Amino acid sequence: MDVKRVKDYLYWLYYQYQLVTCSYVLEPWEQSMFHTITVTVLAMVVYTAYVFVPIHIRLALQFFSQIFGSRPEGAV
């Protein structure tokens, strides 16, 4: 891939992000605060999903396997 095309595409994505969030109208210090808060919230959401979603899926599978009549794990 051409480096210039990748750079242009990333710039275009950032421009779209600014248009969607209306952050292009903010002053530079406001933009940095907004981006910091946005990245922090996004990181917390990703971390929470990574840690807790597998646990909830496992518990849901156990719950539904008991409801729909499969044998308990200790029964032979």
Side-chain angles (χ1 to χ4, degrees), residues 6-20:
V6 171
K7 182 180 167 186
D8 288 342
Y9 181 68
L10 290 176
Y11 179 76
W12 180 79
L13 285 177
Y14 179 69
Y15 182 69
Q16 292 298 314
Y17 164 75
Q18 284 188 325
L19 287 176
V20 168

Side-chain angles (χ1 to χ4, degrees), residues 41-71:
V41 168
L42 183 64
M44 288 189 294
V45 167
V46 168
Y47 174 76
T48 302
Y50 177 75
V51 171
F52 292 110
V53 168
I55 296 169
H56 289 295
I57 290 173
R58 182 178 50 84
L59 291 174
L61 289 175
Q62 287 177 354
F63 176 74
F64 287 119
S65 68
Q66 289 176 358
I67 286 180
F68 293 121
S70 66
R71 291 185 179 171

